[in-house]
């Protein structure tokens, strides 16, 4: 008789749990570096926009209206822009900071592990702050560029990106897990269930050779198991038939002796 126990105590249930666990692990290994890369691209884009804004001001010899300066800063998404050219540090664009600078990031020599660590800390930090970001100007427009900007928009963009990637990954993972589970169930679980069914049918009438299993599995290991089971069943059936034959012979001898 089959036991109607917990599904997750069966081979199918354990395989499903393993597939889900490994798929989730793969998602984490893909998601975290992706968010770190998105954060780096976000900050690099802000540096490039700030550089374009500062060059626009320098081309006008620093003579622009305050309203235009604020518009340039707003479009770049930063508070201040510092451009170092020819060993001279120059505050090109500026606006009042709502609070002191909380943290500084240097993107000039950032390593992958550092980017991942900073990305994780940025997501976990719920309090808004002001950060300074240092980078290298594009097209050799200077030695370095510094910007100050709020952390809240960056965190919001990272969370939005992470949720979109997570949703897409979850969909792909669900389809992959379903296909893997179905394939494993068809290739392994169902043949094992067939062997169990043959064992149960044989145990109900071991003297009947029609209940003996015939090896048909495609997998080499299962085929060898079925062949070994068939040999064992043949030996048992032969022994039972011999025992029955001896019993009948004993009965006949007893009748003759009387």
């Amino acid at each position: 008789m089959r036991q109607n126990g917990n599904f997750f105590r069966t081979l199918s249930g354990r395989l499903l749990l393993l597939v889900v666990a490994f798929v989730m692990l793969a998602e984490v290994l893909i998601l975290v570096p992706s968010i770190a890369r998105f954060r780096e691209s976000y900050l690099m884009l802000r540096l490039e926009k700030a550089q374009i804004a500062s060059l626009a001001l320098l081309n006008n010899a620093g003579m622009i209206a305050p309203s235009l300066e604020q518009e340039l800063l707003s479009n770049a998404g930063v508070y201040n822009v510092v451009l170092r050219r020819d060993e001279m540090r120059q505050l090109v664009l500026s606006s009042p900071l709502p609070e002191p600078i909380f943290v500084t990031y240097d993107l000039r020599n950032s390593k992958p592990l550092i980017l991942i660590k900073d990305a994780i800390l940025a997501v976990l930090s719920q309090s808004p702050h002001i950060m300074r970001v240092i980078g290298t100007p594009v097209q050799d427009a200077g030695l370095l560029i510094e910007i100050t900007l709020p952390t809240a928009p960056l965190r919001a963009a990272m969370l939005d990106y992470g949720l979109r990637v997570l949703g897409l990954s979850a969909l792909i993972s669900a389809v992959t897990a379903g296909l893997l589970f179905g394939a494993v169930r068809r290739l392994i679980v169902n043949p094992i269930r067939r062997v169990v069914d043959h064992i149960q049918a044989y145990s109900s009438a071991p003297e009947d050779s029609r209940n003996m299993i015939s090896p048909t599995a495609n997998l080499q290991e299962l085929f060898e198991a079925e062949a070994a089971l068939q040999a064992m069943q043949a030996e048992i059936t032969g022994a039972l038939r011999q025992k029955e034959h001896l019993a009948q012979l004993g009965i006949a001898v007893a009748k003759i002796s009387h």
Side-chain angles (χ1 to χ4, degrees):
M1 296 294 293
R2 295 185 183 179
Q3 296 181 354
N4 296 322
N6 189 347
F7 170 74
F8 293 106
R9 296 183 62 183
T10 64
L11 179 59
S12 299
R14 297 292 175 85
L15 286 173
L16 180 60
L17 288 177
L18 285 176
V19 169
V20 171
F22 283 120
V23 166
M24 292 180 63
L25 177 61
E27 282 190 21
V28 172
L29 295 178
I30 294 174
L31 180 63
V32 174
S34 296
I35 294 178
R37 180 61 180 171
F38 173 82
R39 171 183 172 274
E40 182 186 25
S41 298
Y42 179 97
L43 295 178
M44 293 296 294
L45 180 60
R46 293 297 176 275
L47 287 171
E48 292 179 8
K49 288 185 176 182
Q51 180 181 341
I52 294 174
S54 63
L55 292 178
L57 177 62
L58 293 175
N59 288 336
N60 286 278
M63 303 299 293
I64 63 172
S67 59
L68 179 57
E69 182 177 5
Q70 293 303 314
E71 184 177 354
L72 291 173
L73 290 171
S74 178
N75 289 335
V78 300
Y79 289 120
N80 296 318
V81 181
V82 175
L83 188 62
R84 180 175 297 178
R85 307 176 70 186
D86 301 329
E87 300 297 336
M88 184 176 65
R89 187 172 182 271
Q90 181 179 1
L91 180 62
V92 183
L93 297 171
S94 65
S95 63
L97 294 178
E99 61 180 86
I101 296 174
F102 180 77
V103 63
T104 298
Y105 299 107
D106 192 341
L107 300 181
R108 291 174 296 178
N109 296 308
S110 294
K111 297 181 179 180
L113 291 180
I114 296 178
L115 291 174
I116 292 175
K117 182 198 71 172
D118 292 340
I120 294 175
L121 294 177
V123 172
L124 296 179
S125 179
Q126 300 182 2
S127 301
H129 297 291
I130 303 298
M131 61 179 171
R132 176 193 288 116
V133 179
I134 303 174
T136 302
V138 297
Q139 298 183 356
D140 299 327
L143 298 178
L144 65 81
I145 183 172
E146 299 178 13
I147 58 174
T148 55
L149 65 161
T151 59
L154 170 60
R155 182 175 183 271
M158 292 173 64
L159 290 176
D160 179 69
Y161 173 81
L163 290 176
R164 287 188 282 110
V165 172
L166 185 62
L168 180 59
S169 300
L171 177 61
I172 296 176
S173 300
V175 174
T176 304
L179 293 175
L180 286 175
F181 178 73
V184 171
R185 186 177 180 86
R186 180 178 179 182
L187 295 175
I188 299 179
V189 177
N190 289 344
I192 292 177
R193 175 52 58 190
R194 175 178 173 273
V195 173
V196 173
D197 291 340
H198 274 287
I199 293 175
Q200 292 175 343
Y202 178 79
S203 63
S204 62
E207 68 283 353
D208 190 353
S209 61
R210 293 176 298 178
N211 294 327
M212 293 171 54
I213 191 172
S214 298
T216 58
N218 294 324
L219 294 177
Q220 181 65 28
E221 293 80 4
L222 284 176
F223 183 86
E224 293 175 356
E226 290 179 349
L229 179 60
Q230 183 188 44
M232 183 184 66
Q233 289 176 342
E235 183 178 353
I236 294 174
T237 299
L240 289 174
R241 288 182 175 179
Q242 184 179 8
K243 181 180 179 181
E244 182 181 0
H245 176 70
L246 292 176
Q248 291 176 354
L249 181 61
I251 294 174
V253 171
K255 287 181 178 180
I256 294 174
S257 63
H258 283 81

